[in-house]
């Protein structure tokens, strides 16, 4: 658990705002016929333009055969998170998750959203987004991570969506992933308490079917086991005296 000081929070605020604007620009480019690699190249170009560095590129996790090769994670339909950009072209009706992380002046922010290619309404996307907002609304000094997970789980299960268990939110700011883990499920009053100045990423992942996931052969992409579609939203935020300040918003 790392408490950030005033100077660090200023940097995270600046980096978070810039990263949010970059994600909007990348999402606007996510149209039928565009490849996930093209989106990745756009994301990298925009991060370098603001003087940041893509924080996922070269990232290693325990058990993964290779370092992560992209700037962006692009996860289509049954892909839950960590889809590696490639030559696949988007199609109208695809549910596409875009996750992006930046190191800016030495500090890290992380944000994600999901969209429906070609536009239109999608309940999975809308409810997953709402579950993130409900999770964020729990955050204040002294809240426990279980309170956040409980609220997110309630929101998603009430609408019969599955809540992914294996992947969780996390502390962030000084590294891509820090303590504590922030599950999107759980029980009120469980787990560590959040303290003032702590920077965290909350990131619910929901499925249209069963919540169980598996890792693809590429060692990175998480897939739903039943092939159902999945959505993911994420914000980086700081715990403040009065509640919460979301850092990755435009
Ligand atoms: N952005 C992911 C998260 O939200 C982590 C991506 S790491 C990568 O925690 F290496 F897969 F890119
Ligand atoms: Co992320
Ligand atoms: Co994250």
């Amino acid at each position: 658990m790392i408490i950030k000081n005033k100077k660090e929070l200023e940097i995270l605020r600046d980096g978070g705002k810039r990263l949010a604007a970059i994600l909007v620009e990348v999402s606007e480019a996510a149209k039928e016929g565009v490849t996930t690699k093209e989106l990745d190249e756009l994301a990298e170009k925009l991060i370098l333009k603001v003087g940041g560095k893509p924080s996922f590129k070269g990232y290693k996790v325990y058990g993964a055969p290779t370092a992560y090769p992209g700037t962006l994670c692009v996860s289509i339909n049954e892909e839950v998170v960590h889809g590696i950009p490639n030559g696949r072209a988007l199609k109208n009706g695809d549910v596409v998750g875009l996750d992006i992380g930046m190191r800016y002046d030495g500090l890290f922010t992380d944000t994600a959203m999901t969209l429906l290619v070609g536009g239109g309404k999608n309940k999975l996307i809308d409810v997953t987004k709402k579950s993130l907002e409900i999770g964020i609304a729990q955050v204040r000094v002294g809240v426990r991570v279980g309170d956040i997970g409980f609220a997110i789980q309630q929101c998603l299960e009430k609408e019969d969506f599955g809540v992914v268990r294996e992947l969780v939110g996390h502390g962030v700011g000084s590294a891509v992933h820090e303590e504590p883990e922030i599950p999107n499920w759980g029980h009120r009053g469980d787990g560590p308490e959040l303290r003032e100045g702590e920077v965290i990423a909350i990131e619910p992942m929901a499925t249209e079917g069963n919540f169980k996931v598996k890792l693809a052969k590429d060692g990175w992409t998480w897939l739903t086991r039943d092939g159902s579609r999945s959505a993911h939203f994420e914000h980086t935020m700081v715990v403040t005296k009065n509640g919460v300040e979301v850092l990755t918003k435009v």
Side-chain angles (χ1 to χ4, degrees), residues 154-174:
Q154 290 281 302
C155 171
L156 292 170
E157 289 184 349
K158 201 171 68 196
E159 302 291 349
D160 282 329
F161 292 122
V163 180
V164 174
R165 310 286 202 274
E166 276 98 325
L167 298 144
V168 295
H170 49 90
V172 65
S174 311

Side-chain angles (χ1 to χ4, degrees), residues 84-102:
I84 298 174
N86 58 26
R88 179 171 175 181
L90 302 182
K91 290 204 188 104
N92 283 336
D94 282 343
V95 170
V96 179
L98 302 171
D99 190 346
I100 189 166
M102 174 166 75

